[in-house]
């Protein structure tokens, strides 16, 4: 666009009646059809790609994923870390020219936490005072800790100090909504005919399952620095189709590509392949409920010892994944994950120790350990499961593999019907707490029902600690306990995989794999 | 004919009702629900969602509500695609699948019938072997192999046609999916046509026609072609239904906004209303297409007298 603008500026008037210059249009393949464009009705990363271009929260993401002021120009945090007072920029406008006010935020927070909205991601806002109670229908949403002091001052009160709260405000659950439009059109407000947004782009058209078109929002406060004129999002579930369309030049960015093609891509399109560490862990959950062999920490440790992560990442998957020896992925902000103590042992040493542990636990040739390993349908999950079962074989373990589609898999493991189960977690926000909270007692995503009072106590202490270094230490201590207990079997850290046309500039890899189109331009 | 048509339509109602009822209860019996996924929702949120979609009520009550709504033409909201009702999705997706399907069937008839006729006329010659060998390959190679190959050759390497996308049904976007969809049908039709033609050519009335001194082309075109097309015609109903319902893979691979994609996706997502919507829709479509084929059949073969049923 910069180039286009320069070009346009240098053209003489004689050309002004010629055919219009081709607008800079970014063609982006997203990995699925959005469930909605209403930020309160979505939960997928592909929806985030679109909605994050259309809206802007109090805080927003820079090209490298770091957080920068969005609608909020500045903010003050009370000494106890519970009261945030935001000053909104005076030039924040909706795409119809109306100002974005503090009241629009209050309205949006009240709406998403209203049980009637049935927003499935509302729980991300639970740090806000009374949010959980409001969503459970125990108090009115008007009692939420969010209030508009005046049109440009917003105050948010939290239940307790939450260091990652500012980061969370860039998530779509915390976007403002145009009260005047939502009240006028009800559920129809997010359709192309009605939608008004405050981001760098505005919705132009949505042809279901085909394409979503957004154009530059002239009312965006930073509109002059936005290079693209238009973005077309193509929902393409088939990764091979996205790759073929990328190769044919029909799209400029493909969010995800088929892993089997990684080698080919590295050789043939090295400039386009973008693989980077991603905020996610692929792990096996151990069932710690009574009656399961995996309730015994010695058994869990033996199982963990025998798994050769490097073989899985390098030889079985081979698409850049990183072997995992901790539960929290590396590069998480303000956190240094501990590692299991056997990470440096040789494989023989690990197996020897594993045998000892199993023997101690009462398993051996006379009483072989039998396990049920569940995984959800996917070629990669299948390969990993078979490999892990083979790695356990030298210990005399007999593994029965069960495969089910994703909904059944999670319904089954939720019932506790497994010994070992494939699971994964992609961080909702860049904080170790988001991962470690999965291992707290009585948390719904704690599939294996691991429970450690010491772990819970440390996590609770960390939650009440404002000093970031101290908090990180407490969480690392908690993670050390979980690792010593072999609460789960971490296998690898995810990577993000994108294909990005070399003609583009402003696209930077980052751990959350968030890329807002406002930073992207064509270098031509 | 009219009474036969009415009778068949009336017969379709209990059939459809059984299909809907069975699907409804089977779907609810299937393990896993619409909100089961990698991210387990906190219990109060799940309870809210269940209540919002009426899933907190007993299944029989949900069934009665569903049937009541269905009779009023309301297929309910989609659980997954929250900005759309199921009716909207069906209404948007079906014309696309239909257009694609009709072109594919048209192409299949246009190519398959002559292939079958030629193979029959040149029976046991090298031409016959070549045609039937090609047809066999067409049957044997599945869609999901052919479609990406076509996309790769004509879209990526030769860059003659778009690799994917619908572009409001522009012809260039339609060529590859139509070809990919029709290849198997061409093969079936050619094989069917060949067998039927051989049978007809051996019958008495053809011998009589030849004895009368008619030229071979007259025998084929005026006497043999029509009766030998009967099996192909009766195959058309299931073929069209199959091509529309079975275009899932093709729609997925070429990124076409048809209804086929919803069929599988809805089942995997446990999007109950959308699953039911597609079942109701396909059920009605298959009943209707079979009826149409029967009527067409009777028009082509006067020996069939439905009125006397």
């Amino acid at each position: 666009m910069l180039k286009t603008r320069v070009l346009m500026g240098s053209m003489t008037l004689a050309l002004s009646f010629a055919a219009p210059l081709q607008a800079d249009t970014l063609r982006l393949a997203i990995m699925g059809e959005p469930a909605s464009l209403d930020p309160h009705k979505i939960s997928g990363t592909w929806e985030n790609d679109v909605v994050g271009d259309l809206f802007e929260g109090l805080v927003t993401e820079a090209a490298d994923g770091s957080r920068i002021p969005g609608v909020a120009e500045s903010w003050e945090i009370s000494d106890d870390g519970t009261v945030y007072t935001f000053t909104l920029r005076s030039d924040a406008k909706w795409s119809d020219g109306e100002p974005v006010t503090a009241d629009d935020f209050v309205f949006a927070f009240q709406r998403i936490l209203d049980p009637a909205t049935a927003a499935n991601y509302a729980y991300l806002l639970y740090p806000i005072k009374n949010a959980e109670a409001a969503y459970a229908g125990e108090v009115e949403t008007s009692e939420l800790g969010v209030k508009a002091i005046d049109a440009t001052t917003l105050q948010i009160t939290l239940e307790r100090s939450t260091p990652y709260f500012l980061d969370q405000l860039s998530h779509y659950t915390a976007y403002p909504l145009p009260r005047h439009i939502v009240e006028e059109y009800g559920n129809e407000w997010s359709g192309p005919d009605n939608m008004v947004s405050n981001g760098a782009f505005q919705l132009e058209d949505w042809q279901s399952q085909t394409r979503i078109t957004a154009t530059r929002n002239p009312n965006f406060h930073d509109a002059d620095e936005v290079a693209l004129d238009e973005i077309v999002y193509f929902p393409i579930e088939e990764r091979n189709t996205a790759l073929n369309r990328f190769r044919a030049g029909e799209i400029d960015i493909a969010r995800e590509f088929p892993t089997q093609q990684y080698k080919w891509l590295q050789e043939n399109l090295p400039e386009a392949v973008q693989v980077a560490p991603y905020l996610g862990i692929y792990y096996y959950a151990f069932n710690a409920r009574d009656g399961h062999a995996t309730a015994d920490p010695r058994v869990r440790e033996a199982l963990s010892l025998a798994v050769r992560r490097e073989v899985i990442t390098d030889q079985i998957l081979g698409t850049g994944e990183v072997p995992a020896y901790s539960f929290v992925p590396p590069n998480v902000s303000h956190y240094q994950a501990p590692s299991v103590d056997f990470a440096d042992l040789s494989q023989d040493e690990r197996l020897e120790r594993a045998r000892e542990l199993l023997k101690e636990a009462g398993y051996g040739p006379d009483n072989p350990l039998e396990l049920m390993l569940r995984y959800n349908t996917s070629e990669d999950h299948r390969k990993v499961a078979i490999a892990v079962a083979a790695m356990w074989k030298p210990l005399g373990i007999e593994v029965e593999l069960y495969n089910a589609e994703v909904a059944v898999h999670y319904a089954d493991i939720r019932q506790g019907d497994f010994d070992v189960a494939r699971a994964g977690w992609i961080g909702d926000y860049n904080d170790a707490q988001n991962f470690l909270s999965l291992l707290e007692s009585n948390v719904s995503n704690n599939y294996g029902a691991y429970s450690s009072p010491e772990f819970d106590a440390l996590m609770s202490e960390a939650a009440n600690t404002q000093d970031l270094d101290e908090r990180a230490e407490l969480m690392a201590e908690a993670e050390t306990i979980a690792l010593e207990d072999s609460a789960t079997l971490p296998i690898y850290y995810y990577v993000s995989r994108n294909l990005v046309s070399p003609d583009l500039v402003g696209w930077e890899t980052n751990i959350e794999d968030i890329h807002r189109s406002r930073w992207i331009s064509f270098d031509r | 004919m009219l009474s036969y048509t009415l009778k068949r339509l009336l017969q379709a109602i209990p059939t459809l009702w059984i299909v809907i009822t069975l699907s409804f209860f089977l779907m609810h019996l299937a393990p896993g629900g619409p909100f089961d996924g990698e991210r387990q929702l906190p219990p109060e949120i799940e309870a809210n969602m269940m209540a919002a979609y009426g899933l907190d009520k007993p299944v029989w009550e949900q069934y009665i509500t569903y049937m009541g709504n269905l009779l009023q033409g309301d297929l309910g909201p989609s659980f997954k695609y929250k900005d759309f009702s199921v009716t909207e999705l069906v209404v948007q997706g079906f014309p696309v699948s239909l257009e694609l399907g009709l072109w594919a069937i048209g192409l299949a008839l246009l190519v398959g019938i002559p292939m079958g006729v030629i193979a029959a006329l040149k029976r046991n010659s090298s031409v016959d072997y070549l045609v039937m060998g090609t047809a066999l390959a067409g049957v044997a190679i599945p869609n999901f192999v052919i479609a990406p190959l076509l996309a790769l050759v004509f879209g990526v390497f030769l860059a003659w046609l778009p690799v994917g996308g619908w572009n409001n049904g522009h012809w260039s976007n339609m060529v590859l999916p139509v070809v990919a969809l029709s290849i198997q049908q061409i093969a079936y039709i050619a094989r069917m046509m060949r067998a039927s033609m051989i049978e007809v050519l051996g019958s008495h009335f053809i011998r009589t026609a030849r004895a009368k001194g008619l030229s071979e082309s007259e025998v084929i075109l005026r006497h043999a072609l029509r009766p030998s097309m009967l099996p192909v015609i009766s195959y058309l109903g299931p073929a069209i239904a199959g091509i529309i319902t079975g275009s899932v893979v093709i729609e997925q691979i070429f990124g076409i906004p048809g209804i086929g994609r919803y069929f599988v996706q809805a089942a995997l997502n446990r999007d109950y209303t959308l699953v039911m919507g597609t079942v109701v829709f396909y059920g009605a479509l298959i009943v209707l297409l079979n009826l149409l084929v029967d009527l067409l059949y009777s028009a082509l073969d006067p020996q069939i007298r439905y009125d006397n049923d």
Side-chain angles (χ1 to χ4, degrees):
Chain A
M1 170 64 196
L2 284 173
K3 203 117 188 193
T4 309
R5 226 184 281 139
V6 172
L7 205 64
M8 284 176 84
S10 66
M11 296 256 168
T12 57
L13 272 178
L15 273 176
S16 62
F17 294 105
L21 283 168
Q22 196 197 340
D24 267 346
T25 299
L26 177 72
R27 297 156 307 165
L28 183 70
I30 53 173
M31 290 318 299
E33 170 78 353
S36 171
L37 293 182
D38 180 337
H40 294 174
K41 293 186 180 171
I42 55 176
S43 54
T45 49
W46 60 93
E47 289 146 345
N48 189 10
D49 286 344
V50 184
V51 171
D53 281 343
L54 299 177
F55 289 88
E56 185 183 57
L58 291 162
V59 176
T60 191
E61 301 92 351
D64 64 359
S66 61
R67 299 307 194 270
I68 55 170
V71 176
E73 192 169 63
S74 61
W75 49 82
E76 276 172 24
I77 305 172
S78 66
D79 292 341
D80 66 351
T82 59
V83 182
Y84 287 62
T85 310
F86 296 91
T87 304
L88 310 193
R89 51 173 76 247
S90 52
D91 56 349
K93 285 186 188 145
W94 293 105
S95 50
D96 62 355
E98 291 289 316
V100 176
T101 65
D103 186 52
D104 290 320
F105 281 95
V106 175
F107 170 73
F109 282 116
Q110 290 183 352
R111 182 176 182 262
I112 192 172
L113 287 158
D114 184 340
T117 307
N120 55 359
Y121 245 175
Y123 64 88
L124 282 185
L125 296 172
Y126 278 2
I128 297 175
K129 191 174 170 63
N130 282 336
E132 191 167 359
Y135 200 64
E138 290 160 11
V139 302
E140 292 294 315
T141 51
S142 55
E143 291 181 48
L144 213 57
V146 183
K147 69 178 175 200
I149 308 283
D150 58 43
T152 55
T153 313
L154 179 78
Q155 194 170 73
I156 301 181
T157 309
L158 306 186
E159 288 281 354
R160 58 187 181 189
S161 163
T162 310
Y164 53 88
F165 184 66
L166 265 183
D167 273 8
Q168 255 187 323
L169 288 176
S170 63
H171 192 263
Y172 51 77
T173 43
Y175 289 163
L177 294 190
R179 182 178 202 141
H180 60 293
I181 298 295
V182 181
E183 285 180 345
E184 187 177 348
Y185 297 105
N187 280 335
E188 308 285 308
W189 81 273
S190 55
D193 296 335
N194 308 326
M195 185 188 260
V196 157
S197 62
N198 73 326
F201 297 88
Q202 57 187 347
L203 182 62
E204 184 73 28
D205 186 28
W206 181 6
Q207 293 175 34
S208 172
Q209 305 276 341
T210 309
R211 56 161 72 193
I212 296 166
T213 312
T215 53
R216 190 139 61 105
N217 173 10
N219 284 309
F220 181 58
H221 57 81
D222 203 20
D224 290 345
E225 296 303 316
V226 176
L228 300 169
D229 297 304
E230 189 183 54
I231 310 167
V232 182
Y233 307 88
F234 295 100
I236 306 177
E237 275 157 30
E238 271 290 311
R239 293 177 169 97
N240 272 309
T241 306
L243 169 60
N244 283 343
R245 292 189 72 175
F246 182 85
R247 289 176 63 191
E250 292 174 22
I251 53 175
D252 305 305
I253 296 177
R255 303 284 269 133
E256 186 75 73
F257 57 76
T259 50
Q260 308 89 310
Q261 305 285 352
Y262 184 48
K263 280 216 173 82
W264 184 91
L265 284 164
Q266 279 177 311
E267 282 161 21
N268 295 281
L269 295 172
E271 289 178 334
V273 184
Q274 303 278 354
V275 173
Y278 189 36
L279 192 63
I281 173 95
Y282 183 108
Y283 68 100
Y284 276 178
F286 286 132
N287 198 341
R289 294 170 182 89
D290 287 341
H292 292 268
T294 41
D296 186 334
R298 291 169 299 188
V299 172
R300 297 199 297 256
E301 191 183 343
L303 294 174
S304 187
L305 277 161
V307 172
R308 303 169 69 180
R309 279 92 165 155
E310 287 77 6
V311 171
I312 293 174
T313 54
D314 302 348
Q315 288 166 35
I316 294 173
L317 302 167
T319 42
E321 291 81 359
V322 182
Y325 288 98
S326 70
F327 196 62
V328 180
N331 307 320
V332 162
S333 92
H334 220 99
Y335 186 73
Q336 187 62 49
S339 179
V340 285
D341 56 4
F342 63 75
D344 301 327
L345 296 183
S346 73
Q347 191 57 28
D348 287 343
E349 289 168 322
R350 287 186 202 178
L351 279 181
E352 198 174 321
R353 195 164 141 194
R355 277 194 195 98
E356 281 167 21
L357 284 163
L358 282 179
K359 201 172 160 193
E360 269 176 44
Y363 297 100
D366 302 336
N367 179 29
L369 175 58
E370 291 172 11
L371 292 175
M372 176 208 272
L373 168 57
R374 281 192 185 275
Y375 64 96
N376 54 304
T377 309
S378 140
E379 188 49 29
D380 283 347
H381 299 339
R382 193 180 67 89
K383 283 195 277 188
V384 173
I386 291 173
V388 167
M391 290 169 189
W392 286 340
K393 200 139 186 106
L395 299 176
I397 300 169
E398 287 165 21
V399 183
E400 233 177 317
L401 296 177
Y402 282 85
N403 160 241
E405 51 169 312
V406 70
V408 179
H409 174 74
Y410 282 100
D412 283 342
I413 66 173
R414 187 185 200 178
Q415 306 291 330
D417 187 14
F418 69 100
D419 294 315
V420 183
R422 183 262 148 192
W425 190 261
I426 305 293
D428 295 307
Y429 41 89
N430 187 353
D431 193 278
Q433 185 271 352
N434 189 234
F435 290 87
L436 293 174
S437 66
L438 303 182
L439 300 176
E440 284 183 64
S441 308
N442 304 318
V443 164
S444 51
N445 285 307
N446 181 351
Y447 310 117
Y450 166 74
S451 177
S452 156
E454 296 85 13
F455 180 91
D456 292 348
L458 284 163
M459 287 302 288
S460 166
E461 201 183 333
N464 289 310
T465 304
Q466 285 174 58
D467 184 277
L468 287 180
D469 293 333
E470 205 181 313
R471 179 174 173 269
E473 265 172 42
L474 287 165
M475 286 195 292
E477 255 180 76
E479 186 174 0
T480 306
I481 290 175
L483 292 175
E484 281 171 0
D485 279 351
S486 302
T488 65
L489 166 46
I491 297 179
Y492 64 81
Y493 306 115
Y494 283 112
V495 285
S496 60
R497 301 182 191 91
N498 290 281
L499 288 176
V500 181
S501 162
D503 293 341
L504 294 174
V505 288
W507 199 97
E508 292 180 37
T509 55
N510 61 73
I511 186 170
E512 288 173 277
D513 197 28
I514 290 180
H515 307 277
R516 300 303 180 211
S517 305
R518 67 183 274 202
W519 310 114
I520 295 173
S521 59
F522 281 93
D523 179 26
R524 54 183 176 214
Chain B
M1 182 73 98
L2 186 68
S3 68
Y4 170 77
T5 311
L6 283 175
K7 204 169 109 189
R8 283 289 305 269
L9 276 175
L10 284 176
Q11 276 173 354
I13 291 172
T15 313
L16 268 181
W17 175 73
I18 291 170
V19 168
I20 293 166
T21 308
L22 272 178
S23 313
F24 189 92
F25 286 101
L26 281 176
M27 189 179 67
H28 279 83
L29 275 179
F35 309 118
D36 282 318
E38 199 159 272
R39 272 146 206 258
Q40 219 87 107
L41 298 173
E44 69 280 7
I45 294 196
E46 190 170 349
N48 271 333
M49 309 274 290
M50 299 291 267
Y53 292 106
L55 296 171
D56 53 342
K57 301 193 177 79
V59 176
W60 62 267
E61 207 178 314
Q62 291 179 44
Y63 171 72
I64 290 172
T65 314
Y66 184 79
M67 290 307 281
N69 291 340
L70 186 63
L71 288 174
Q72 293 169 41
D74 178 10
L75 294 170
S78 161
F79 291 8
K80 173 82 193 286
Y81 303 107
K82 296 176 185 177
D83 286 1
F84 298 92
S85 70
V86 171
T87 312
E88 279 174 322
L89 292 176
V90 170
V91 167
Q92 273 179 17
F94 177 59
V96 172
S97 297
L98 183 71
E99 195 178 347
L100 203 63
L102 288 181
W103 278 110
I105 270 292
L107 182 66
L109 289 172
L110 206 69
V111 180
I113 291 178
M115 268 174 79
V117 171
I118 290 168
L121 294 178
K122 308 273 180 193
R123 195 176 165 188
N124 295 336
S125 72
S126 50
V127 177
D128 181 20
Y129 295 141
L130 181 73
V131 171
M132 283 302 106
T134 315
L136 194 68
V139 175
I141 305 172
N143 264 342
F144 59 83
V145 174
I146 289 175
L149 267 179
L150 287 174
L152 211 57
V153 173
F154 296 100
V156 178
F157 296 146
L158 299 172
W160 288 350
L161 293 161
V163 174
W166 182 238
N167 202 8
N168 293 325
H170 190 269
W171 67 268
S172 62
N173 289 73
M174 232 187 287
V175 175
L176 294 181
V178 163
V179 171
L181 254 182
S182 62
I183 283 178
Q184 273 194 336
Q185 302 301 330
I186 289 174
Y188 277 124
I189 290 173
R191 284 155 60 95
M192 211 178 287
M193 194 65 202
R194 176 182 180 273
S196 162
M197 190 63 144
I198 287 171
E199 199 186 318
V200 170
L201 286 176
S203 56
H204 295 303
F205 71 95
I206 294 292
R207 228 170 293 156
T208 313
R210 282 192 178 131
K212 278 183 184 171
L214 293 178
S215 71
E216 192 59 21
S217 58
E218 267 180 311
V219 170
I220 306 290
L221 292 175
R222 277 180 56 191
H223 296 280
L225 198 58
R226 210 161 92 154
S228 46
M229 269 169 59
L230 284 176
V232 175
I233 299 294
S234 58
Y235 170 69
L236 274 187
I240 295 176
I243 230 172
I244 294 171
T245 53
S247 55
V248 184
V249 177
I250 298 297
E251 288 179 12
Q252 198 87 7
I253 290 174
F254 291 103
I256 291 166
I259 191 174
R261 298 168 70 157
Y262 296 130
F263 202 45
V264 169
Q265 281 303 324
L268 289 176
N269 292 331
R270 301 288 190 275
D271 190 341
Y272 290 158
T273 43
L274 189 53
V275 170
M276 288 309 296
T278 43
V279 165
V280 170
F281 180 75
Y282 281 140
L285 186 74
I286 289 168
V287 166
L288 196 73
L289 285 172
N290 279 328
L291 176 64
L292 278 177
V293 164
D294 285 353
L295 296 178
L296 191 63
Y297 205 89
S298 74
L300 275 180
D301 187 352
Q303 290 176 50
I304 301 169
R305 293 266 180 268
Y306 289 118
D307 291 288
N308 299 337
D309 272 10

